[in-house]
Amino acid sequence: MTSHQSAQTMKPATAAKKLGVYLEATPAEFQEGVVSRTELNALQADPPEWLLELRRNGPHPRPVVAAKLGISISGLARGGITDALTTEQIDALKRDLPEWLQKERATQAEVRKEAARIKEKNAARGDQGGQAGS
């Protein structure tokens, strides 16, 4: 029995997610094959032109669109955005700043503020916990 180790591979959808690109916009050979960990590392270290172009202009997957707009993925859905968007479309939304986007940004700001408050509260509780046993 040989102790030969096989290369770890992943589905194209997983690799696209790790690369932050929209799978349907990638080249056919990327979509149809499997991607090894070595190939993924190579794509990240020295991205080919198609990957640079996708990252620059899109279309971008929903997590990237949400991050670029400063809202949650759920906020995108509430705003009626269910498909990938190009950088140009994202920039247009930022310029036009529709009411739904303003509301979602405000909601996201509140969520971040609340998360920071809870983190501070837990940190303070942790400090007190250390003193309680003294």
Side-chain angles (χ1 to χ4, degrees):
M1 189 148 106
T2 61
S3 61
H4 159 106
Q5 187 177 8
S6 63
Q8 181 183 6
T9 61
M10 61 193 82
K11 294 177 182 175
T14 304
K17 187 174 184 176
K18 289 180 181 289
L19 292 169
V21 295
Y22 186 57
L23 177 63
E24 286 76 12
T26 61
E29 59 270 12
F30 182 87
Q31 292 181 38
E32 294 163 2
V34 293
V35 181
S36 71
R37 175 68 60 190
T38 304
E39 290 168 329
L40 179 69
N41 290 341
L43 287 169
Q44 290 172 323
D46 187 21
E49 187 55 39
W50 65 264
L51 182 53
L52 293 171
E53 181 67 21
L54 277 179
R55 286 178 170 169
R56 189 173 27 250
N57 298 315
H60 303 286
R62 290 182 318 130
V64 174
V65 173
K68 286 179 179 278
L69 292 174
I71 63 175
S72 68
I73 295 172
S74 298
L76 275 181
R78 286 189 292 269
I81 307 294
T82 57
D83 295 325
L85 297 180
T86 63
T87 299
E88 190 176 310
Q89 291 169 313
I90 294 167
D91 290 345
L93 281 171
K94 287 178 175 178
R95 264 192 319 276
D96 300 344
L97 211 55
E99 187 176 335
W100 70 265
L101 182 54
Q102 293 174 41
K103 286 181 182 176
E104 290 302 332
R105 282 182 166 177
T107 298
Q108 193 66 18
E110 286 299 316
V111 167
R112 286 188 193 112
K113 200 159 78 173
E114 180 64 8
R117 185 190 70 76
I118 290 170
K119 185 176 179 181
E120 286 178 25
K121 182 179 174 184
N122 288 342
R125 190 178 292 152
D127 291 344
Q128 292 173 351
Q131 297 171 354
S134 302

